[in-house]
Amino acid sequence: MGTGHRQRLRVLSTRLTVELLPEGDVGSVPAQAWWALIRGPEGLTVIREAPDPSGDIEQWAALYGENAHELDEPGMLAALLEPLARAGVPVFVASTFSSDLVLVPVARLGEAARALEAARHEVVGGT
């Protein structure tokens, strides 16, 4: 599964952070800064722009699939995650209506791009 889903991924220029906030703290995140809010039993996971690109907060690079796909198309995300897992690159994922946002640690972006390209995906920009 997944190997037939070649994708073109764009590296977004914005660096992101992933945070866990208590359930009621959504108002503490400026609306223009967040990319995804995901409510879970443990609280609110927030993917947002890194407030200080040179700070101590862990930063993630975002790869966004330029191949829009239907919600029920199997294997699209697996095709990306399998080569990253084989390369030992950690990921955090959020899906949009049309595609997937795959986050990798900024320091591992080059390694992630090489793993994806070896799996016959195309990675453009920012590496």
Side-chain angles (χ1 to χ4, degrees), residues 32-94:
Q32 69 276 14
W34 63 264
W35 282 60
L37 301 173
I38 304 141
R39 177 174 282 126
E42 70 283 358
L44 187 67
T45 300
V46 179
I47 299 172
R48 68 178 183 145
E49 293 179 16
D52 178 7
S54 63
D56 292 333
I57 297 173
E58 183 175 21
Q59 294 183 34
W60 297 78
L63 298 143
Y64 188 71
E66 291 187 343
N67 305 76
H69 57 83
E70 298 297 320
L71 293 175
D72 62 353
E73 188 170 345
M76 294 297 287
L77 185 55
L80 302 176
L81 299 184
E82 288 171 5
L84 293 172
R86 280 194 307 272
V89 176
V91 300
F92 191 88
V93 177

Side-chain angles (χ1 to χ4, degrees), residues 10 12 29 33 36 39 41-43 60 73 85 99 114 122:
R10 181 170 33 101
L12 303 181
V29 180
R39 177 174 282 126
E42 70 283 358
W60 297 78
E73 188 170 345
S99 193
R114 287 188 296 277
E122 181 181 2

Side-chain angles (χ1 to χ4, degrees), residues 13-47:
S13 60
T14 303
R15 295 300 182 232
L16 302 173
T17 64
V18 179
E19 301 171 301
L20 179 63
L21 300 177
E23 181 70 28
D25 279 1
V26 70
S28 68
V29 180
Q32 69 276 14
W34 63 264
W35 282 60
L37 301 173
I38 304 141
R39 177 174 282 126
E42 70 283 358
L44 187 67
T45 300
V46 179
I47 299 172

